[in-house]
Amino acid sequence: MNRDPFIAFGVPDLGEEEIQEVVATLRGGWLGKGPRVTAFEAQFAAYKGLGPERAAAVSSCTAALHLSLIAAGVGPGDEVITTPLTFCATANTILQTGAVPVLCDVDPETMNIDVRNISACVTARTKAVLPVHFAGRPCEMDEVLAVARDHGLAVIEDCAHAIEARYRGAPVGTLGDFGCFSFYVTKNITTGEGGMVLARRAEQLARIRRMSLHGMTQDAWQRYAGRGFGQYDVVDCGFKYNMMDLQAAIGLHQLRRLDKARERRQEIWSRYQAAFHVLPVTLPAPVPQHMLHALHLYTLRVDERDSRIGRDEFIERMADLGIGIGIHYKALPEHSYYQQRLGWRPGDTPVATSIGRRSVSLPLSPRLTDEAVDRIVSAVHAVLGG
Ligand SMILES: *Cc1c(COP(=O)(O)O)cnc(C)c1O
């Protein structure tokens, strides 16, 4: 049995600056939505090449997706086209608006929504398309936007994996009508829990802001900071989806780590690519010139017919060697809820189902030391090298 410390999947990269800022926030006594959230929004928008007040911080990417769908006017009776190879939140938020997700299978190489199939999924009820930039690789947005233009659809980009990604030079999340980001612990940057929305149209972003705080016209910061009298009006039936200053305190410093952290992940990624191309597994596809990959997930596909070992056994043997492996994702039609409610079957999206049954994600945290990366490389060789 292995004695080295366990290498967990998805370890966040937190520094002393984050700790000090959280402590300062606690000492300052303003924990909720306030000046640090406003600063985090402005700095995130600037990172995306946008002016201040172009981004709204929320409690999660799930909240960001839900509010974007609502702002896009998606509701009961509508359909939203999305990918089957994603986290359940993508589909759940569509269902929560009263609309129905329509799955468009993925491209076997890129693992992104297959842009050649989107228009075949469009019906008279289709209101929006919700692509996910899987693993941090941008979708072919020219094609997505062309279909959306032809059919008058809103485009909501799920950028949970893709903070740093660019498509033809433009930051992802600014290409469609809405861009939704996650700061969950395992994502490229974290606020513990948290999310961000970008919206192309100012009035839609204003609605998202309102809807993230009960549908009130003024937020609590404005109500209680100065000499507010609590003169707010409720103009919409909103949610409690705001971010807190305690979370933004972490995010402000995480943003400053983005480029360095991606550089480190690029080193690890290149090491993996060089080490694994000799093994009987499928590596991530090469990235074309017109894309910058955010390098969120490094996935291998373990096919028992080639590898002589099944995916689940791979994960168990890696765990025995002290290495935590992720799965992204069991395809949506494999989950019982969608089978029962929507009648989905794994065979409906054969490419995503096949990937979901074979895919493993290796640790890719910028926190990994060279020794840890060596251990991971050796373990994958030991398990798959035969
Ligand atoms: C993580 C994730 C989400 C949800 O993000 P939260 O911030 O945890 O709500 C949505 N979509 C994808 C593709 C994700 O990976």
Side-chain angles (χ1 to χ4, degrees), residues 280-282 303-309:
V281 286
T282 308
D303 189 328
E304 191 152 14
R305 289 169 300 189
D306 308 321
S307 315
R308 300 198 313 269
I309 168 176

Side-chain angles (χ1 to χ4, degrees), residues 60-62 65 86-87 89-90 132 158 160-161 182 184 187 194 329:
S60 67
C61 184
T62 305
L65 290 166
T86 185
F87 186 56
T90 315
V132 176
D158 182 335
H161 299 177
S182 176
Y184 178 65
K187 299 291 157 74
Y329 294 95

Side-chain angles (χ1 to χ4, degrees), residues 83-113:
T83 168
L85 197 66
T86 185
F87 186 56
C88 58
T90 315
N92 288 348
T93 51
I94 295 169
L95 288 167
Q96 282 154 5
T97 66
V100 176
V102 172
L103 299 180
C104 174
D105 206 356
V106 297
D107 177 291
E109 294 238 325
T110 67
M111 301 188 269
N112 276 327
I113 193 165

Side-chain angles (χ1 to χ4, degrees), residues 210 213-220 223 232-236:
R210 258 197 331 268
L213 212 61
H214 308 293
M216 301 188 316
T217 50
Q218 306 263 302
D219 64 34
R223 273 187 288 142
Y232 60 88
D233 185 28
V234 176
V235 295
D236 219 331

